[in-house]
Amino acid sequence: MDKLIKGIAGVIFFAAAVSAGSAGAADMAVKAPAVAMVDVWSPWMIRGRVLVVAPEASATIDQIPGASVSIGTSVVPELDITYFFTQNLAAELILGVTPHNITGAGTITGINVGRAWLLPPTLTIQYHFTNFGAFKPYIGAGPNYTVFFNQSAAGGTITQLSVKNSFGFAWQVGFDYMVNRHWGWNVDVKKLYLRPDVSMNNGALTGRVRIDPWIIGTGVTYRF
């Protein structure tokens, strides 16, 4: 009888130990902390903007003292790509084309000179301020190379027009206001300094044009 009682007690003790161990393992499984997801930082940002390109133009024509030009304002779409080297330091490349009408000013006021398209890729190095929450202002500066194409003279007094491709310089200020991690709104102002050489009527008229456009844009930001 004693042996039977001891055997039953041993079985009960073993079962209780197994049950306690299972319960402890279950508690550990329930109470184990969740693994935090790592927020991977992406260096890429793109923007789609509408630009107002407003040249502050003048010119010198070697053969006509006091002659100048006026270049019309243009509104165009634009795409830019930004790469962040760090949270603060980035490079931005803008891509877009703008058409402009050119008319005479000064002593040739009233003469229709012609029309030209500009492709002004501009690379700026930017500093982004990151201590204002969703509001992220930046400043930047860098080189520009403007390609002039589809140039056409107006006819009449001006029978041929050629504006040479030109290097320039740009500075900018702007900000992104981020609605969430990916999407935001951008406002950007750039100033370009361009001094291309120009010839008209197969070289009978030559000179230099100061274009110096303001480029004012606004649009959507997407951060990858």
Side-chain angles (χ1 to χ4, degrees):
M1 179 65 69
D2 290 340
K3 291 182 179 181
L4 178 61
I5 292 173
K6 289 180 180 180
I8 294 173
V11 170
I12 293 172
F13 178 81
F14 178 78
V18 170
S19 177
S22 299
D27 289 342
M28 289 178 65
V30 170
K31 296 177 182 178
V35 177
M37 297 297 292
V38 177
D39 187 10
V40 179
W41 177 75
S42 171
W44 293 101
M45 174 187 285
I46 61 172
R47 301 185 187 93
R49 293 187 283 220
V50 175
L51 300 183
V52 177
V53 183
E56 291 188 323
S58 65
T60 55
I61 307 300
D62 298 330
Q63 295 79 14
I64 307 176
S68 187
V69 297
S70 175
I71 300 177
T73 296
S74 184
V75 179
V76 295
E78 175 258 6
L79 174 70
D80 75 72
I81 303 168
T82 301
Y83 182 85
F84 285 81
F85 303 103
T86 68
Q87 293 284 357
N88 300 104
L89 189 65
E92 177 194 86
L93 177 66
I94 67 168
L95 303 169
V97 296
T98 65
H100 296 275
N101 293 316
I102 306 171
T103 57
T107 56
I108 60 171
T109 297
I111 294 178
N112 189 1
V113 175
R115 182 177 176 86
W117 285 73
L118 280 65
L119 172 62
T122 303
L123 179 66
T124 57
I125 302 300
Q126 303 172 328
Y127 186 85
H128 291 251
F129 300 89
T130 56
N131 52 339
F132 298 100
F135 178 68
K136 302 184 181 300
Y138 58 86
I139 57 175
N144 160 268
Y145 184 74
T146 298
V147 176
F148 297 86
F149 65 100
N150 282 359
Q151 302 174 58
S152 58
T157 303
I158 306 300
T159 58
Q160 180 269 338
L161 172 65
S162 176
V163 185
K164 304 298 183 182
N165 299 344
S166 176
F167 282 99
F169 176 79
W171 59 262
Q172 71 180 149
V173 295
F175 68 86
D176 294 290
Y177 187 86
M178 302 305 295
V179 178
N180 55 38
R181 175 185 169 188
H182 295 291
W183 293 98
W185 192 258
N186 175 261
V187 174
D188 185 271
V189 177
K190 291 183 179 70
K191 179 67 172 179
L192 268 63
Y193 299 92
L194 301 175
R195 303 287 193 276
D197 293 325
V198 61
S199 68
M200 295 172 281
N201 296 0
N202 298 311
L205 300 173
T206 58
R208 174 166 287 191
V209 181
R210 179 183 67 86
I211 299 178
D212 295 358
W214 286 97
I215 302 177
I216 304 168
T218 186
V220 177
T221 297
Y222 183 79
R223 180 74 182 263
F224 289 91

